[in-house]
Amino acid sequence: LYTAPDSCEGRCGEPFSEEDECHCHPECEGHHNCCEDYERHCGPDGFSSSRGSITDRELLELSEQLYGADHNKARPGDIAINPQHLASPDETGEKQDRSPQPLYKYVNEELFSKPTYASFIKLLDNYQRATGREEEVTAEELREQERFLEEVMKTELMKKLFVFLQGKNRYSSEQEFLGDLKEMWFGLYSRGDGERDSSGFEHVFSGEVKKGKVSGFHNWIRFYLLEKQGVVNYFSHNFNGPWDTFPDVLGLQFSWDGFYKEVGSAFIGCSPEFEFGLYSLCFLARPGRA
């Protein structure tokens, strides 16, 4: 599943895009620009034959279904934010705190007692944020990973995602899917000098510091908890969603213990399983590409 962009694995029948290094749509043979493994994956008997491909329309429809199935998300009265200064494009890099108040005015912390939230929050302190330093994973941390995966897989949202992927020949059993999620999110890899210093979960949800800048850190719960401790300082926002329901998107600038995030983004008010499921879907459906 973790193929380079020059493979057709999981890409058969997808629409043509100039950005792709090689192509897997049905006309590529006529244009002589197919990926080398096109026949193996997309031929009549290939693993990824068209019935296993995931179209843009299917991605759109399924992501809306996951949005609708997010029963653990915040309700309108659960969160109040105070976005304050709207930064122009030339202001985002200036590292100026233009918002004297915190971003969060109020969060109903009863949300955090829900099983997926509680098991998610336990994972947030398992990482060293500096890249280049090998991560040590304890037995307790492995149990916390298992618990979180166990809880998210109980939700309608993740069950819906699994049924879809199973229908696309990606997984034969929920156990296989679970094993892949574990490797995909918690498997360690190197961001620089060969040290196994990072994971998908750490980057996306917990955040890292690389070359003096904040990298990743896209989760609203993590932001709220660190802002409450006084470790995160909200500076401004450069995008503010229409806010007719949760979750919605905020583009923002902030400092984390003196390290700056120039343009970050987060879904505000969603459950952990919504982000976890949606990002997993993107990664599996379009491997190796933005």
Side-chain angles (χ1 to χ4, degrees), residues 1 78 107 124 131 185 198 200 235 253 256 264 284:
L1 287 166
D78 286 336
V107 170
L124 293 173
T131 57
W185 283 102
S198 188
F235 281 14
Q253 291 67 51
W256 178 18
L284 293 167

Side-chain angles (χ1 to χ4, degrees), residues 37 72 74 80 88 95 106 128-129 131 157 160 163 165 201 203 208 229 270:
D37 59 3
N72 283 327
S88 63
K95 304 185 184 179
Y106 169 74
Q128 302 181 65
R129 69 181 177 193
T131 57
L157 189 154
K160 204 178 272 286
V163 166
L165 292 169
F201 188 92
H203 178 81
E208 302 174 287
Q229 291 172 26
C270 66

Side-chain angles (χ1 to χ4, degrees), residues 72 108-119 121 147 151:
N72 283 327
N108 175 9
E109 293 195 9
E110 284 180 21
L111 279 172
F112 301 159
S113 62
K114 294 185 176 192
T116 57
Y117 285 78
S119 57
I121 289 167
R147 180 71 198 277
E151 292 300 343

Side-chain angles (χ1 to χ4, degrees), residues 79-96:
I79 301 175
I81 63 168
N82 182 16
Q84 301 163 81
H85 183 77
L86 177 62
S88 63
D90 56 344
E91 286 178 331
T92 58
E94 291 181 357
K95 304 185 184 179
Q96 297 292 315

